[in-house]
Amino acid sequence: MKQATLLIILLFAFASNSHGQESESNFTDDYYSSIFETLYSVDTEMAYCIAPIVEERLVSKLADTSSFYNPFKKLSEYISIETSSDSLVKTYSWDRISGGSWHDNASYLQFKTKSGKIKYKRLDSGIEQETGEPTDVIIYDIHNIRIKDESYYLLLGWGTHGGGRHHSLARVYKIKDEEIVLCDSFFDGEKYLHIGAPRVGRIDLQYNYETKELSHNYYEYDASVGFYKPTGNIRIWLLENDKFVLQK
C-alpha cells in the first residue's frame, strides 16, 4: 500500500508539473489521455486509489469553455466521448475500475446553454450499488431528436451489475432555462427505458432517425431463477408526439 501511495504522489506531481507549463485555460488532450492511460495500465488495487483523483481532475475542467470545443482525439482512445449532431451536448463516460464483475461507470454530460455558457451534469448517482438503479452506464450514442421545433437528446448507454447480466439504458434530456433536465415520462410514463439480458446475449439498443423507432432485442426476466431468458423477439418503441410508445 505504501508503494501505491508513493506511485500516486509521483505520478500526479509529474502531471501537475507538465500541466503547469501550458496555458491554464487549455484543456490538454495529451495531459488527460496520459492520466487515463496510467489508470488502465496499473493493477486493480492501484487503479482503485488513482480513479477518484483522475475523475476529480477531469470533472474540474468540464466547466472550462475550451474543453467543450476540444475533440480529445487521444483521450477518446481511453474513455467514451460522444457529441450531439447540433454540437450542443457532449458526454464523457468511463469505467472507474473498482474491481469485481460490477462495473462502476462514471458518466458526465457537458452542454451549451442558450446564453452560451458551458455547464456540466453528472449522470450516474454514485450509489447504484445501494439503489440498484441502472444509471451507471457508458454512453455510446447521442441522438438529437426534434419535437415541435425543440431539441431533445436521446442518450443510449451500456452497463453491468455483474451476476452474469448486463443492461442497456435509454434516457431523454432537454436544455431548459439554462439547465439540462431529464424528461421523466418519455417511455410510456417512465423516466428511462431499461433493458436487461444475460451477458452472452446481445441487446443491440439503437435508434433509427428515418422511422423514429427505438429498437432492441427482448429478454424476459424469470423471477424464479433471477435471470433473463431470450425470446427471439425485437421490441420497437415508436416516437409519437412527445414520447416513445411500445408497439404491440
Side-chain angles (χ1 to χ4, degrees):
M1 194 63 184
K2 289 182 178 179
Q3 290 180 336
T5 303
L6 179 59
L7 180 55
I8 293 171
I9 293 173
L10 292 175
L11 169 67
F12 288 100
F14 173 78
S16 296
N17 224 16
S18 300
H19 184 54
Q21 294 171 8
E22 301 175 359
S23 171
E24 287 298 325
S25 63
N26 181 30
F27 195 146
T28 310
D29 193 15
D30 288 339
Y31 170 64
Y32 287 99
S33 62
S34 66
I35 290 178
F36 275 92
E37 180 181 18
T38 300
L39 174 64
Y40 292 127
S41 64
V42 299
D43 58 52
T44 302
E45 182 182 5
M46 180 68 72
Y48 184 78
C49 298
I50 294 175
I53 304 173
V54 171
E55 182 168 351
E56 180 182 0
R57 294 207 170 194
L58 178 57
V59 172
S60 69
K61 292 297 181 181
L62 294 186
D64 187 338
T65 300
S66 64
S67 69
F68 187 73
Y69 300 104
N70 193 321
F72 293 117
K73 291 184 178 180
K74 288 187 177 180
L75 180 58
S76 63
E77 295 176 9
Y78 300 97
I79 72 175
S80 175
I81 301 176
E82 300 293 332
T83 305
S84 62
S85 59
D86 62 4
S87 300
L88 294 179
V89 170
K90 281 179 79 174
T91 59
Y92 305 77
S93 49
W94 65 92
D95 192 331
R96 292 188 175 98
I97 316 295
S98 56
S101 59
W102 182 304
H103 286 247
D104 180 15
N105 298 314
S107 60
Y108 290 85
L109 184 151
Q110 191 180 36
F111 62 102
K112 186 177 183 179
T113 69
K114 291 182 179 180
S115 67
K117 292 182 180 179
I118 304 302
K119 295 185 176 183
Y120 71 89
K121 181 183 184 69
R122 181 173 175 172
L123 299 182
D124 72 290
S125 69
I127 56 171
E128 281 84 0
Q129 291 198 35
E130 298 173 22
T131 65
E133 288 273 88
T135 45
D136 49 343
V137 294
I138 300 292
I139 307 299
Y140 62 82
D141 214 349
I142 300 177
H143 293 281
N144 181 199
I145 54 181
R146 299 286 294 177
I147 301 174
K148 297 178 181 179
D149 294 325
E150 291 189 288
S151 286
Y152 292 77
Y153 301 92
L154 171 65
L155 272 57
L156 306 182
W158 173 90
T160 176
H161 290 171
R165 297 175 291 182
H166 66 143
H167 61 269
S168 289
L169 188 73
R171 289 169 287 180
V172 175
Y173 287 85
K174 178 184 178 181
I175 299 175
K176 180 180 180 181
D177 299 329
E178 297 295 291
E179 296 296 337
I180 194 158
V181 296
L182 175 67
C183 300
D184 60 5
S185 58
F186 229 87
F187 302 93
D188 276 351
E190 299 296 328
K191 61 184 177 181
Y192 53 64
L193 174 62
H194 170 232
I195 308 104
R199 284 296 294 270
V200 295
R202 185 179 178 184
I203 298 173
D204 198 25
L205 176 63
Q206 55 183 308
Y207 179 68
N208 186 311
Y209 276 108
E210 294 183 0
T211 62
K212 296 185 178 181
E213 292 178 339
L214 188 64
S215 63
H216 63 86
N217 295 323
Y218 176 60
Y219 297 82
E220 187 176 17
Y221 184 71
D222 187 344
S224 64
V225 296
F227 213 67
Y228 289 94
K229 299 186 299 184
T231 65
N233 297 325
I234 295 177
R235 279 198 165 178
I236 304 293
W237 297 76
L238 180 63
L239 181 61
E240 296 183 349
N241 298 320
D242 60 351
K243 63 182 178 181
F244 282 103
V245 178
L246 178 62
Q247 304 302 288
K248 305 300 182 182

